[in-house]
Amino acid sequence: MIMYSRELTVAWGESDPFGLVYYPMMFTWFNETEHELLRALGFPTNKLIKEDRTAFVMGDVHFRFVGPAAYGDKVRTMIRLAKMGTSSLHWDCKAVQASDGAVITEGRAVRIHARIEEDGNLKAIPIPDYIRNALSEPGSLIDLPEDDF
């Protein structure tokens, strides 16, 4: 399955003086990594919403804190598609120090492909074949050796 990584720098407001990243920021890191992957595949969220009235919405998240990351640290976030259901994407997620590979956090995020109804509610719908195919045959977007995950 597809894997994707990106590097970021821990911003001033993302951690405390002890080098502990605020837990919600970890969700943001992986959320942005997934959105960047989908954009690179040709499915940016704003386009999906505008053209199809669909989006991948968060269904479930589980993360555990492993080690510190402080202001200015370079961090590599990595996602790997562990499972693709009819309407869901199950991502294994890991963030490591870019300098030495020390694990900061790891976990799982589940996204649900949903249609935005006229009343604003969301309804789970099957992932279209063209997105399913792009996630199954990523080509050059895999920039992460399997053993790094």
Side-chain angles (χ1 to χ4, degrees), residues 1 11 49 51 72 84 125 128 135 140 142 146:
M1 292 271 181
I49 291 170
E51 295 180 4
M84 187 169 6
I125 60 171
L135 290 169
S140 63
I142 297 178
E146 183 77 29

Side-chain angles (χ1 to χ4, degrees), residues 5-91:
S5 71
R6 73 181 184 110
E7 190 171 292
L8 59 92
T9 302
V10 177
W12 172 251
E14 293 181 345
S15 69
D16 64 20
F18 306 106
L20 302 176
V21 173
Y22 298 120
Y23 205 73
M25 294 314 306
M26 295 174 188
F27 296 135
T28 300
W29 291 352
F30 294 115
N31 188 54
E32 292 301 317
T33 302
E34 182 188 10
H35 282 286
E36 188 175 304
L37 166 63
L38 291 171
R39 181 196 51 74
L41 289 172
F43 312 116
T45 300
N46 60 339
K47 180 181 176 185
L48 292 176
I49 291 170
K50 182 179 177 182
E51 295 180 4
D52 300 331
R53 295 198 45 84
T54 63
F56 284 95
V57 297
M58 196 58 71
D60 191 28
V61 292
H62 296 276
F63 288 97
R64 70 182 190 100
F65 175 80
V66 180
Y71 169 65
D73 286 356
K74 300 286 186 197
V75 172
R76 186 168 66 159
T77 59
M78 301 172 278
I79 60 173
R80 176 177 56 196
L81 187 58
K83 176 183 172 187
M84 187 169 6
T86 302
S87 302
S88 62
L89 301 174
H90 300 247
W91 297 103

